Amino acid sequence: MNLTAVLLTGLLAGGVSCAAVQGGLLAGLITRQRRAAAPVAPTTVPATKRTPTHRAVPADRAVRTATPWRTVGDDLTPVGAFLAGKLLSHTLLGALLGALGTAVQLSVRAHTALQLVAGVLIIAFGLAQLGVPGFRRFVIEPPASFARIVLRSTRAQTAFAPALLGLASIFIPCGVTLSVEALALTSGSPTAGAATMAVFVLGTSPLFALLGYAARKAATAWRGRLALATGAVVVVMGLLTFNGGLELAGSPLAASHLLASTSTITNTDATSSSPANTDATVADGHQTITITATSDGYTPTVTAKAGIPTSLVVHSENAQGCIRAFTIPERNLQKILPATGDTRIELGALAAGTLGYVCGMGMYTGEITIN
């Protein structure tokens, strides 16, 4: 298990993808906390009606509560609690996946179902953040009364809800997380699985820390506008996650299929507008299809012959993220590609038509045309 590659996946693809989904929810939570904690305008009490309880705050105490270090600590408390909760839950999940990996292999259909459910959950959270009727209570927060009883300090109360959101983030994964979970499942041991997930979460931490700190600072100035902006981003990411599930299922409602149908209808010169195909190589009655997997996706589009025993060779060149989870939905088959190297898949004799393939989160697609 190359943990360096996992760390880079978290820093790059995972940081951006997960920050858009979970970071949007965290920013919305911080905004709500900031709004609830906003100071109420003081009322002036006439001198004749003042009681001994109306006392001025000593100047030295006011200075103590407004020191720069205390302010920075208060601003970083929510995101720190979120990352701690996320690290704990994902490390435990990685250990469980590693333990199950030798006996259980997550099928493509199960992976597809998880991604579709995750997409629905993310959309629901985004709609709740936008204040859409019927979704407003769909948030991960402890009851205010419970928080007041269990947690005595303001900072502890500020950290509690983000920590719960971090723990629950395993149920609202971004697409890249699902691919890393597949790596943890194939690791074959609880230790390796836990290390894989922990390193991935640590890789996403810098961007989350920056986002959480910025959200805390911007919450006061932007008020409701920050929640609306992040809610819209979360809804968009939920739609993309759900579409990824449709791509994994090979559904005709997936975006790539809809675009392909539209292109077929609108293009009058389909031959000139489509990319050039590469023919499979045939030798001694056996056909070999070669596809290259890079950080940008899969190339090229290949044309093969029907009725000939066929091998598919996926050549990886610095492949990262979900691209390493090479999936053929029609065959219910998924192979975890090495970052660099060749993976051989026996397809048998192919029937005329098309055979589609997709990455583990449905973002990168391709197909083999069989004549």
Side-chain angles (χ1 to χ4, degrees):
M1 182 68 65
N2 189 346
L3 293 180
T4 301
V6 174
L7 179 64
L8 290 175
T9 298
L11 282 169
L12 303 175
V16 175
S17 175
C18 295
V21 178
Q22 299 166 359
L25 297 176
L26 176 62
L29 175 58
I30 292 174
T31 302
R32 292 193 296 274
Q33 286 184 332
R34 199 70 163 173
R35 188 186 305 135
V40 179
T43 57
T44 303
V45 181
T48 56
K49 295 184 179 181
R50 288 181 183 172
T51 65
T53 59
H54 294 101
R55 298 174 182 174
V57 178
D60 62 336
R61 181 179 174 185
V63 171
R64 284 199 307 270
T65 58
T67 57
W69 287 113
R70 182 179 179 85
T71 301
V72 172
D74 289 341
D75 290 336
L76 290 178
T77 293
V79 69
F82 170 80
L83 290 173
K86 183 178 180 180
L87 180 63
L88 175 61
S89 63
H90 281 69
T91 301
L92 293 176
L93 176 64
L96 177 61
L97 291 173
L100 294 175
T102 55
V104 177
Q105 184 67 37
L106 190 65
S107 68
V108 174
R109 292 187 179 90
H111 188 164
T112 300
L114 285 175
Q115 183 144 342
L116 290 171
V117 170
V120 171
L121 285 175
I122 293 169
I123 292 170
F125 282 123
L127 293 176
Q129 204 149 298
L130 290 172
V132 175
F135 292 89
R136 290 174 180 172
R137 296 185 179 275
F138 202 78
V139 293
I140 301 176
E141 289 187 49
S145 57
F146 176 77
R148 284 195 295 270
I149 294 172
V150 176
L151 306 166
R152 299 298 180 184
S153 70
T154 302
R155 182 173 289 187
Q157 292 182 17
T158 302
F160 190 48
L164 283 183
L165 178 60
L167 287 170
S169 62
I170 58 174
F171 301 110
I172 43 176
C174 58
V176 178
T177 304
L178 292 173
S179 297
V180 177
E181 287 172 2
L183 290 176
L185 189 65
T186 60
S187 64
S189 77
T191 302
T196 298
M197 296 306 299
V199 168
F200 172 73
V201 172
L202 291 175
T204 65
S205 297
L207 187 55
F208 269 105
L210 180 62
L211 177 64
Y213 183 79
R216 175 85 173 181
K217 283 297 186 183
T220 302
W222 288 10
R223 302 277 178 186
R225 286 176 290 175
L226 181 62
L228 291 175
T230 55
V233 171
V234 171
V235 169
V236 171
M237 293 304 299
L239 291 172
L240 292 176
T241 300
F242 189 80
N243 180 70
L246 294 178
E247 297 282 6
L248 285 171
S251 170
L253 297 178
S256 66
H257 294 160
L258 293 176
L259 289 174
S261 299
T262 304
S263 176
T264 301
I265 294 172
T266 57
N267 285 335
T268 58
D269 190 358
T271 303
S272 62
S273 63
S274 61
N277 287 0
T278 299
D279 292 335
T281 58
V282 179
D284 299 328
H286 191 276
Q287 182 171 229
T288 301
I289 300 171
T290 302
I291 295 172
T292 301
T294 67
S295 58
D296 296 323
Y298 306 109
T299 55
T301 301
V302 179
T303 299
K305 295 182 178 180
I308 302 177
T310 304
S311 297
L312 171 63
V313 177
V314 184
H315 177 64
S316 303
E317 294 181 359
N318 195 29
Q320 297 177 3
C322 73
I323 292 172
R324 295 182 59 192
F326 183 82
T327 307
I328 304 178
E330 184 180 318
R331 300 291 183 94
N332 192 29
L333 182 149
Q334 185 175 82
K335 293 287 186 179
I336 302 300
L337 308 177
T340 301
D342 291 340
T343 302
R344 192 177 187 88
I345 304 171
E346 297 300 331
L347 299 177
L350 300 175
T354 59
L355 182 65
Y357 51 87
V358 62
C359 78
M361 60 184 289
M363 285 182 59
Y364 300 94
T365 63
E367 65 179 20
I368 301 167
T369 302
I370 308 152
N371 298 322

